């Protein structure tokens, strides 16, 4: 049986168990055992099958067993775990994934967890950093690839997590190793160890553990419901005073992580090129870091003001600052190409907290220790990027490195002073740690050399608030509204809509909630649903301009111009002379074939804003439909002189045709074809859509093929 076949059957087993098809899962496990020749698991399968058949027998006999639900849960978890163990054993021998390669390497040089722990502590106590770090890496790998921990391992790790003498950095690495191992294979004991770590007094360890717990609960959101111990441990953890606040912060940070690629694109394609463009104008020899420093300084060069306005740089810098203030990951684009150092070949280093007590830094006396200390406190950079930055510094010639160190130390020092007061607040400390660890995870899953060996958690929805096990702590109105607002602001309308529906199910009624739910439905294409929500909001606040406008737009999009017109007229009373609304009001009259009324609104819009040319097309087409062909011709001549579109040439041609200017009509039609890159079929599709209007205007149907044929000859010339 191939690796692909094993994984396919395993996936089907999990799907069957998730849906409650226990017999199907047992039959699939039998085929996995037979196909993979791992008969050592047969007795365990027979035992589970027999227990399940007894349960079904008693159920069919109508026997009431108070333990039936618990027995069923135990059977179900037993089947999950059996499938996990079979898959692990089969793939361990041949799979080329990093997880199994590392596992085979570790098994070739076996070492006890207790031995590693003892070595690690000894090296740390005598300040032997190099060997201490080596022990941490070996311990990380061992925990990661050990699919199912022994009782002895569990006891030793739990003691380490509770010890005040065990190094905090090593505790952080234990948490990350447990998380990575759980992503590869479920082991409830590893999850329970994360709960132990979440009770740690150190915020760095505690928050990392809580993030790991959330990710594990999400990864195994179906099966964890059958482990009462998980729910019990969560209830105990929830008694922490700051549990709910940290949980909300984690959710918020993972939502913001969805924006990273968009932010990276914006920086690389818009903001940074604009900055570099200005750099070359001011001084072609000026570096980017120097420029940013001067722009941010107190003594801005007055000569720059024209450049700033011309290049739109001020706006771009403001955008950049706004992205930072929102907590978005603006550093990813800077460091995405700086993960090639040997340091990042070791998987554990992607999760390593940045500390001055790192052997690579101690060995490099040329790296200013003060800068290292400053960087350690930099809350705006994740640990992975801090490591990238300093390894990059080591590549510079000494003269350039010293200049860069001086500049960076000064700039980061100033930023840290600004952040110092904020970080005195425990909430801001929680925000900082959470943000940095989520970003560390993001870089690992996106940039680790063998990242394709891991299922990318950042491709998942990660809507933790929907997990049944977490709902009790996230179902209050204030929390749900906070999460929904972030989804809404970032354009994740389906996710926001789910929460708004949940709020309404909890009997929460509010004018603004109706508006926001309506907006979510509108943005996801459910116009009828959006209209219903807007109308509910309008009943509570009939004078809301925003709602009245949205109702009108929905009616018009739903091809109900009469209803739309009522609300556009109401909007006009609430907010007179709004150009788009005047034009849309005209459109409603146009669709109702009230051409004279439509023209009144179009002409008013054109009078109020003549330079915008927004009303020209509407006036021209409405004039054509109203039979005012000379007026239509006048406006189409103006339109074709100002960035015309294909439809403009087409309509101008219709007008000339109606006025019996056949040659001019053919010239405009030819221009329409050319506007479509010579694609006559595209032109013909657009033309056929207008045939009913041409006939209503008096064009004889028999003339249409004649003109099209003549156009064909023109195009052949």
């Amino acid at each position: 049986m191939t690796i692909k076949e094993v994984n396919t059957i395993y996936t089907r087993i999990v799907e069957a168990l998730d849906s409650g098809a226990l017999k199907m899962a047992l039959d699939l496990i039998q085929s996995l055992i037979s196909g993979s020749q791992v008969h050592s698991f047969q007795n365990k399968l027979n035992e589970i099958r027999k227990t399940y058949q007894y349960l079904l027998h008693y159920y069919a006999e109508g026997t009431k067993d108070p333990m039936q639900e618990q027995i069923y849960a135990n059977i179900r978890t037993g089947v999950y775990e059996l499938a996990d163990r079979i898959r692990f054993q089969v793939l361990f021998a041949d799979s080329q994934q990093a997880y199994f390669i590392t596992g085979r390497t570790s098994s070739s040089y076996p070492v006890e967890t207790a031995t590693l722990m003892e070595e690690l502590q000894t090296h740390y106590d005598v300040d032997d950093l190099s060997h201490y770090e080596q022990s941490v890496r070996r311990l990380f790998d061992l925990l990661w690839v050990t699919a199912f921990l022994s009782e002895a391992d569990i006891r030793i790790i739990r003691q380490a997590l509770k010890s005040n003498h065990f190094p905090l950095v090593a505790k952080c690495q234990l948490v990350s190793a447990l998380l990575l191992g759980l992503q590869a294979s479920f082991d409830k004991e590893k999850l329970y160890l994360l709960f132990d770590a979440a009770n740690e007094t150190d915020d760095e360890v505690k928050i990392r553990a809580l993030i790991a717990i959330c990710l594990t609960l999400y990864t195994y959101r179906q099966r964890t419901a059958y482990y009462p111990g998980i729910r019990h441990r969560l209830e105990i953890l929830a008694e922490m005073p700051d549990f709910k606040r940290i949980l909300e912060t984690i959710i918020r940070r993972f939502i913001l992580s969805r924006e990273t690629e968009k932010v990276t694109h914006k920086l690389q394609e818009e903001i940074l090129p604009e900055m570099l463009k200005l750099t070359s104008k001011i001084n072609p020899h000026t570096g980017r870091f120097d420029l940013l420093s001067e722009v941010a300084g107190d003594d801005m060069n007055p000569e720059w003001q024209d450049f700033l306005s011309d290049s739109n740089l001020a706006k771009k810098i403001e955008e950049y600052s706004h992205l930072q203030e929102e907590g978005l990951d603006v550093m990813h684009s800077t460091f995405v190409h700086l993960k090639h150092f040997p340091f990042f070949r070791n998987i554990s280093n992607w999760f390593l907290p940045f500390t001055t007590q790192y052997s690579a830094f101690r060995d490099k006396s040329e790296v200013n220790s003060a800068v290292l200390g400053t960087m350690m406190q930099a809350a705006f950079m994740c640990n992975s990027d801090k490591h990238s930055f300093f390894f990059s510094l080591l590549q510079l010639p000494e003269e350039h490195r010293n200049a860069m160190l001086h500049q960076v130390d000064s700039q980061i020092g100033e930023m840290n002073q600004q952040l110092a007061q904020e970080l005195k607040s425990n909430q801001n400390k929680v925000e900082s740690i959470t943000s940095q660890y989520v970003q560390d995870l993001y870089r690992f899953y996106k940039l680790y050399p063998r990242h394709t060996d891991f299922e990318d958690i950042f491709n998942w929805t990660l809507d933790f608030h929907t997990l049944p096990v977490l709902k009790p702590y996230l179902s209050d109105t204030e929390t749900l509204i906070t999460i929904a607002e972030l989804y809404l602001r970032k354009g994740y309308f389906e996710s926001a809509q789910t929460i708004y529906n949940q709020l309404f199910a909890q009997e929460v009624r509010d004018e603004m909630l109706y508006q926001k739910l309506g907006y979510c439905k509108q943005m996801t294409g459910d116009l009828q649903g959006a209209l219903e929500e807007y109308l509910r909001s309008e009943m509570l606040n009939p004078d809301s301009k925003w709602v009245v406008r949205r109702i009108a737009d929905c009616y018009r999009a739903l091809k109900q111009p009469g209803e739309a017109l009522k609300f556009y007229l109401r909007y006009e009373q609430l907010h007179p002379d709004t150009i788009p609304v005047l034009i849309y009001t005209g459109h409603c009259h146009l669709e109702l074939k009230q051409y004279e009324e439509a023209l009144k609104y179009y002409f008013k819009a054109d009078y109020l804003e003549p330079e915008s040319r927004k009303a020209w097309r509407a006036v021209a087409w409405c004039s054509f439909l109203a039979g005012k062909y000379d007026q239509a011709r006048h406006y189409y001549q103006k339109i074709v002189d100002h960035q015309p579109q294909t439809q403009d040439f087409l309509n101008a041609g219709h007008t000339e045709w109606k006025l019996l200017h056949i040659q001019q009509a053919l010239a405009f039609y030819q221009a329409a074809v050319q506007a479509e890159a010579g694609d006559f079929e595209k032109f013909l599709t657009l033309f056929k859509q207008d045939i009913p209007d041409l006939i209503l205007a008096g064009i004889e149907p028999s003339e249409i093929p004649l003109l099209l044929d003549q156009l064909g000859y023109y195009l052949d010339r």
Side-chain angles (χ1 to χ4, degrees):
M1 185 174 282
T2 66
I3 290 175
K4 183 178 180 180
E5 290 171 335
V6 170
N7 284 325
T8 299
I9 294 177
Y10 175 80
T11 300
R12 292 179 62 197
I13 292 169
V14 172
E15 289 173 349
L17 287 168
D18 288 349
S19 64
L22 199 48
K23 180 182 181 302
M24 179 186 293
L26 292 168
D27 292 342
L28 287 167
I29 288 180
Q30 182 64 72
S31 67
L32 186 58
I33 290 174
S34 301
S36 303
Q37 301 294 305
V38 283
H39 298 295
S40 57
F41 293 100
Q42 188 64 56
N43 288 340
K44 182 62 177 178
L45 175 62
N46 293 341
E47 179 186 325
I48 294 175
R49 193 192 297 274
K50 188 174 182 179
T51 303
Y52 188 48
Q53 287 174 343
Y54 275 131
L55 184 148
L56 293 176
H57 172 75
Y58 288 126
Y59 173 75
E61 292 293 322
T63 304
K64 296 292 183 181
D65 185 349
M67 295 297 293
Q68 177 179 298
E69 188 173 330
Q70 183 59 51
I71 294 171
Y72 179 77
N74 291 339
I75 294 171
R76 199 162 177 175
T77 56
V79 179
Y80 274 120
E81 292 171 8
L82 179 59
D84 290 341
R85 290 179 182 276
I86 295 172
R87 174 181 173 272
F88 178 80
Q89 180 167 316
V90 173
L91 297 185
F92 187 83
D94 300 314
S95 175
Q96 295 305 304
Q97 284 190 334
Y99 176 74
F100 293 104
I101 292 174
T102 306
R104 289 194 293 270
T105 303
S106 296
S107 65
S108 300
Y109 305 96
V111 61
E112 296 291 331
T113 304
T115 303
L116 269 181
M117 288 284 196
E118 186 177 339
E119 288 179 1
L120 184 156
Q121 188 71 60
T122 300
H123 294 317
Y124 181 78
D125 290 340
V126 299
D127 201 28
D128 183 355
L129 288 184
S130 180
H131 286 97
Y132 156 71
E133 290 158 7
Q134 184 180 1
S135 296
V136 172
R137 287 193 291 269
R138 292 177 67 196
L139 180 61
F140 183 102
D141 288 347
L142 182 63
L143 287 186
W144 166 38
V145 300
T146 301
F148 308 99
L149 296 176
S150 67
E151 290 185 8
D153 289 341
I154 295 165
R155 184 174 60 256
I156 293 166
I157 297 167
R158 182 167 287 128
Q159 288 173 351
L161 289 170
K162 291 181 179 179
S163 171
N164 293 327
H165 301 291
F166 196 71
L168 286 175
V169 168
K171 287 184 181 182
C172 288
Q173 292 297 76
L174 285 178
V175 169
S176 295
L178 291 169
L179 166 61
L180 211 59
L182 280 163
Q183 290 300 304
S185 180
F186 183 75
D187 178 5
K188 66 179 185 296
E189 298 301 336
K190 286 184 179 179
L191 182 54
Y192 292 151
L193 286 171
L194 288 176
F195 278 108
D196 292 330
N199 281 305
E200 170 66 46
T201 54
D202 183 81
D203 287 330
E204 188 80 41
V205 178
K206 175 171 66 178
I207 292 170
R208 285 175 177 239
L210 282 168
I211 290 172
I213 289 169
C214 288
L215 288 171
T216 303
L217 292 176
Y218 189 89
T219 304
Y220 302 101
R221 50 194 175 279
Q222 297 292 337
R223 72 163 73 181
T224 49
Y226 297 97
Y227 291 91
I230 294 174
R231 191 176 296 274
H232 177 64
R233 292 295 299 270
L234 198 57
E235 289 171 354
I236 295 174
L237 198 60
E239 294 176 3
M240 292 192 313
D242 55 352
F243 172 77
K244 183 179 173 184
R245 181 164 48 84
I246 296 175
L247 199 56
E248 291 177 17
T249 303
I250 291 170
I251 291 172
R252 187 166 61 255
R253 285 296 163 184
F254 274 105
I255 294 173
L256 290 175
S257 73
R258 297 189 191 185
E259 298 288 289
T260 302
E261 295 304 323
K262 287 190 281 186
V263 170
T264 298
H265 177 79
K266 189 176 189 67
L267 287 170
Q268 292 178 342
E269 301 298 325
E270 299 177 28
I271 296 178
L272 293 181
E274 199 70 44
M275 292 177 174
L276 292 173
K277 192 190 306 178
L278 179 60
T279 304
S280 62
K281 286 184 178 181
I282 298 172
N283 182 350
H285 304 292
T286 302
R288 185 170 71 196
F289 290 103
D290 294 331
L291 170 67
L292 294 178
S293 176
E294 289 190 59
V295 170
D298 294 330
D299 300 321
M300 183 177 289
N301 187 343
E303 296 177 5
W304 290 6
Q305 295 307 314
D306 291 339
F307 289 120
L308 289 172
S309 58
D310 291 345
S311 68
N312 210 19
L313 178 63
K315 181 180 178 182
K316 296 302 180 184
I317 293 176
E318 185 178 347
E319 279 186 80
Y320 184 86
S321 300
H322 181 65
L323 294 173
Q324 278 189 309
E325 289 170 5
E326 280 195 290
L328 296 173
D329 188 354
V330 297
M331 292 295 177
H332 181 68
S333 62
T334 302
F335 292 98
V336 67
H337 300 298
L338 295 176
K339 306 296 182 185
H340 60 279
F341 302 105
F343 174 87
F344 290 108
R345 293 174 192 163
N346 189 291
I347 196 167
S348 65
N349 286 340
W350 288 81
F351 310 95
L352 186 68
F354 185 87
T355 171
T356 56
Q357 299 302 309
Y358 184 63
S359 60
F361 299 152
R362 179 179 291 185
D363 295 341
K364 302 293 182 182
S365 57
E366 64 268 29
V367 176
N368 190 316
S369 61
V371 177
L372 284 169
T374 304
M375 282 296 298
M376 187 174 175
Q377 302 301 320
F380 57 90
M381 291 174 66
C382 68
N383 300 283
S384 177
D385 290 349
K386 291 175 185 178
H387 285 116
S388 292
F389 182 78
F390 270 95
F391 285 118
S392 299
L393 281 179
L394 297 178
Q395 308 298 307
L396 296 175
E398 184 175 356
E399 180 182 351
H400 294 164
R401 179 169 58 245
N402 290 337
M404 179 69 78
L405 285 171
H406 177 75
Q407 183 178 1
V408 168
D409 189 31
S410 174
Q411 292 184 5
I412 292 179
E414 290 178 9
M415 295 181 72
N416 282 344
Q417 286 179 9
Q418 295 173 9
L419 292 169
Q421 192 62 38
E422 295 179 13
L423 290 177
K424 288 181 180 178
S425 159
N426 189 52
Q427 172 58 21
N428 285 311
K429 187 177 182 182
V430 168
E431 289 275 357
S432 175
I433 294 172
T434 306
S435 174
Q436 289 182 13
Y437 192 52
V438 170
Q439 289 175 14
D440 286 335
L441 289 170
Y442 191 91
R443 280 143 183 73
F444 169 74
Y445 280 102
K446 300 294 184 182
L447 304 176
Y448 176 61
R450 300 196 58 165
H451 66 274
T452 55
D453 284 355
F454 301 84
E455 186 168 1
D456 188 350
I457 63 172
F458 291 94
N459 288 337
W460 301 346
T461 307
L462 295 178
D463 47 353
F464 299 113
H465 60 281
T466 65
L467 299 180
V469 72
L470 291 178
K471 272 189 176 181
Y473 316 105
L474 298 167
S475 57
D476 62 285
T477 301
E478 183 180 355
T479 300
L480 289 175
I481 288 177
T482 299
I483 298 171
E485 293 295 303
L486 184 55
Y487 277 133
L488 184 67
R489 196 169 74 248
K490 294 302 174 187
Y492 302 113
F493 302 113
E494 291 182 357
S495 297
Q497 182 176 329
T498 300
I499 298 179
Y500 290 133
N501 285 329
Q502 184 178 340
L503 287 166
F504 283 120
Q506 295 175 2
E507 301 300 321
V508 178
R509 295 292 182 268
D510 180 84
E511 169 207 344
M512 299 299 288
L513 288 184
Y514 283 125
Q515 291 181 18
K516 291 170 183 175
L517 179 56
Y519 185 72
C520 289
K521 289 183 176 182
Q522 182 178 354
M523 297 305 290
T524 54
D526 181 9
L527 293 177
Q528 185 61 47
L531 177 60
E532 292 169 3
E533 302 303 334
Y534 290 146
L535 288 170
R536 291 188 179 101
S537 177
E538 189 261 344
M539 290 178 64
L540 298 174
N541 183 4
D543 294 328
S544 169
K545 296 191 296 290
W546 189 90
V547 172
V548 170
R549 170 74 182 273
R550 284 286 184 267
I551 292 172
D553 291 343
C554 284
Y555 271 128
R556 183 166 173 265
L558 290 167
K559 307 301 182 185
Q560 299 182 49
E563 293 298 318
L565 182 59
K566 296 176 185 176
F567 284 89
Y568 282 131
L569 292 175
R570 275 183 55 187
Y571 187 91
E572 177 69 10
Q573 293 176 339
L574 295 168
H575 197 274
D577 298 340
T578 305
I579 303 301
V581 171
L582 289 172
I583 293 175
Y584 293 148
T585 305
H587 289 346
C588 290
H589 283 297
L590 179 69
E591 291 164 22
L592 293 167
K593 302 188 186 307
Q594 299 167 355
Y595 302 128
E596 294 299 330
E597 287 297 315
L599 284 170
K600 289 179 183 178
Y601 284 94
Y602 294 149
F603 280 130
K604 185 175 182 180
D606 191 36
Y607 172 78
L608 292 173
E609 205 172 276
E611 298 302 319
S612 71
R613 305 192 292 272
K614 290 180 181 178
W616 288 4
R617 287 187 176 89
V619 171
W621 184 242
C622 187
S623 297
F624 178 86
L625 295 177
K628 299 183 177 185
Y629 304 113
D630 288 327
Q631 183 170 283
R633 187 187 194 207
H634 170 70
Y635 273 89
Y636 278 124
Q637 286 175 340
K638 292 170 63 175
I639 292 168
V640 296
D641 289 335
H642 295 83
Q643 298 179 325
Q645 301 171 4
T646 303
Q647 192 67 51
D648 298 325
F649 290 122
L650 197 66
N651 293 344
H654 298 338
T655 304
E656 297 294 344
W657 190 3
K658 177 57 187 174
L659 290 169
L660 301 179
H661 303 157
I662 306 300
Q663 293 299 321
Q664 291 91 324
L666 288 167
F668 279 123
Y669 289 147
Q670 190 172 3
V673 175
Q674 291 170 350
E676 292 296 328
D679 190 333
F680 185 73
E681 291 302 320
K682 283 187 177 180
F683 163 82
L684 200 57
T685 299
L686 294 172
F687 182 91
K688 287 180 178 178
Q689 293 173 357
D690 290 346
I691 288 177
D693 292 318
L694 290 172
I695 293 173
L696 284 174
I699 300 294
E700 292 295 333
S702 59
E703 295 181 30
I704 294 174
L706 298 177
L707 184 133
L708 289 175
D709 282 345
Q710 182 62 31
L711 176 61
Y713 281 113
Y714 269 52
L715 295 172
D716 289 340
R717 291 189 298 186

